[in-house]
Amino acid sequence: MDFLNAIVLFANFVIIPATAYGAQLALGALGVTLIYSILRFANFAHGELMAFGAMGTILVTWLFQSQGIGFGPLPTALLALPIGIVLTVVFALLTDMSVYRFYRRQRVDPIIMAIASVGVMFVMGGLVRFIIGPDDQNFFDGMRFLIRAGEFRNMTGLDEGLAIKLTQVITVVVALIVVVVLFWFLQTTRSGKAMRAYSDNEDLALLSGIDPDRVVMTAWVITAILATIAGVLYGLDKTFKPFIYMQLLLPVFASAIVGGIGQPVGAILGGFVVAFSEVTITYAYKKFLAYLLPQQWAPDGLVQLLSTDYKFAISFIILVLVLLIRPTGIIRGKVL
Amino acid sequence: MIAVDNLHMHFGGIRAVDGTSLNIEKGSITGLIGPNGAGKTTLFNVIAGAYKPTAGRVYLDDEDVTGLAPHELFKKGLLRTFQIAHEFSTLSVLENLMVVADNQPGERLWDAWFNNKQVQAFEDQVRVKALEVIEFLEISHLTHELAGNLSGGQKKLLELGRTMMVDAKIVFLDEVGAGVNRTLLKTIGTSILRLNEERGYTFCMIEHDMDFISRLCGPVIVMAEGKLLTQGTADEVKANEQVIEAYLGTGQKHGKNRTSS
Ligand SMILES: Nc1ncnc2c1ncn2[C@@H]1O[C@H](COP(=O)(O)OP(=O)(O)OP(=O)(O)O)[C@@H](O)[C@H]1O
Ligand SMILES: [Mg+2]
């Protein structure tokens, strides 16, 4: 019984939240990796693009809510998501037209593009806070829990409860669908193959008649879709804080690099590696160990490797370790 | 078909192409020879849009195409292959060929989702064509192999195959035969002749193998030190004293590139 309790406890506080968080990071990292493999620069503005997508979706959600439009037990934000995506796609394309295209035509070094994206990051961040304000926003409605801790306890007779939030399930399901569609797109469609070809060998792609502007545009469209979905899922799961997305940039980049930048599969793996590291390292194991160990061995302290305040430092540590030990990331290479 | 007018391509002090003017006749197979470092590949690079020339103009069918990007030239029917074979290493041989095709449905993002029938029909058509090309090049056993795993010679074949996927007007071949075995070289030669006769391709080919040149090429252009040395039929060129000195014979003094003062 104690063993089961320990497992349920672990699942409740580590596995489930880390899975949802991992899915959010994976979607974010996919966007970073895509831009890296097509436009060949590290897009520091990706976090703010996620913020913009979330903001757009929130504004539409509020509009729907004020009109009394709902989505049953599901959050209205899911209904607003497509419109949020369209707004973000347009915004991303405008950004490309007004900033990156200029540098692309100049054929500048990737590092200059990356620095330009830092500028874009600040402008985007400012814009988001200008529109929606610097405060936290709650836009979640609908059913909160799929399984409540109390119900679970009654059902199973265990001491520990297992709570599964609806947002966590939505996160994982949506992420799964997005990833399947993305891979289908890259592997089988003509545009997808053109993107892979372009990412593999730009010179040859041009000589094969692949239109670079179209490939770049497609990359931005997909990235904006991914960023909006990632941003909204994160906001639904936690709350929407305009500043959090800038902080999220670090774990997102860590995910992309850990997995092997430019590798979509790597981005997904990396997302989960980072999420699980973050959650397992900041989790206090006191109660968990108390279940497993004999009474007299039960720990006094929290048995927490690192305080949750430092959770973003973990991405940083993982990043440094990976760059030292295996700079190519889990999956080698730098192409789609 | 192609007219190059006083073309210059300088890299810092190096004058890789130093005032070359030449014409390539429609329907011809024109050879381009010259010592290593003569500027042949650079000339191709400029014509095919990889570099913007320092000075001079390039005309395709009397249209000024100087400085157009490679994909724009592709749409006008100008293709080239690389001296050092390029390939999409993470795509299969079949996919490598299938991505070559322009202005077709499925390139647009929304067509992939909403125009499925048309896209599918087109895909099937392209696949059939790609398989034909693969068979023609005698690499059927490699159809689904990643192109990155091919040997150097096989990659060269793939380069040639790429130019057969669309109806080109003019194809620039950069030492397409180098590193390819003798029997295959014969096949390649035959296929070049056939593309020329049956599909009306114009070719311009850089080649060091004089026998190969004699067999295929009508006009032969000789370059040395970034300049046009002479031109004529293969026999005329072979007999030309300047050419013998600069290239075919033992004369070494013009052999290597040098920087201008
Ligand atoms: N991108 C570049 N930057 C600087 N120098 C270059 C560049 N490309 C070519 N060159 C120089 O231009 C000269 C001509 O080179 P090119 O490759 O055109 O010769 P080539 O005639 O094709 O020779 P080969 O028969 O060996 O292939 C060489 O001296 C080369 O070093
Ligand atoms: Mg050369």
Side-chain angles (χ1 to χ4, degrees), chain B residues 11 14-17 34-43 45 51 83 174-175 206 208 256-258:
Chain B
F11 301 102
I14 299 178
R15 298 167 173 238
V17 176
N36 293 122
K40 305 182 295 294
T41 299
T42 308
L43 180 67
N45 279 335
Y51 301 140
Q83 178 169 4
D174 197 345
E175 301 195 21
I206 298 176
H208 285 295
K256 270 287 139 201
N257 51 282
R258 74 279 86 107

Side-chain angles (χ1 to χ4, degrees), chain A residues 118-135:
Chain A
V118 173
V120 170
M121 171 181 90
F122 286 122
V123 174
M124 272 192 191
L127 191 69
V128 168
R129 270 162 258 145
F130 181 73
I131 296 176
I132 203 168
D135 304 322

Side-chain angles (χ1 to χ4, degrees), chain A residues 190-191 197 200 206-207 209 214, chain B residues 74 82 89-90 98 106-107 123:
Chain A
R190 215 173 157 71
S191 309
D200 187 320
L206 297 184
L207 277 174
R214 199 176 281 174
Chain B
F74 177 96
F82 288 102
S89 54
T90 53
M98 284 180 65
E107 292 252 316
E123 278 291 286

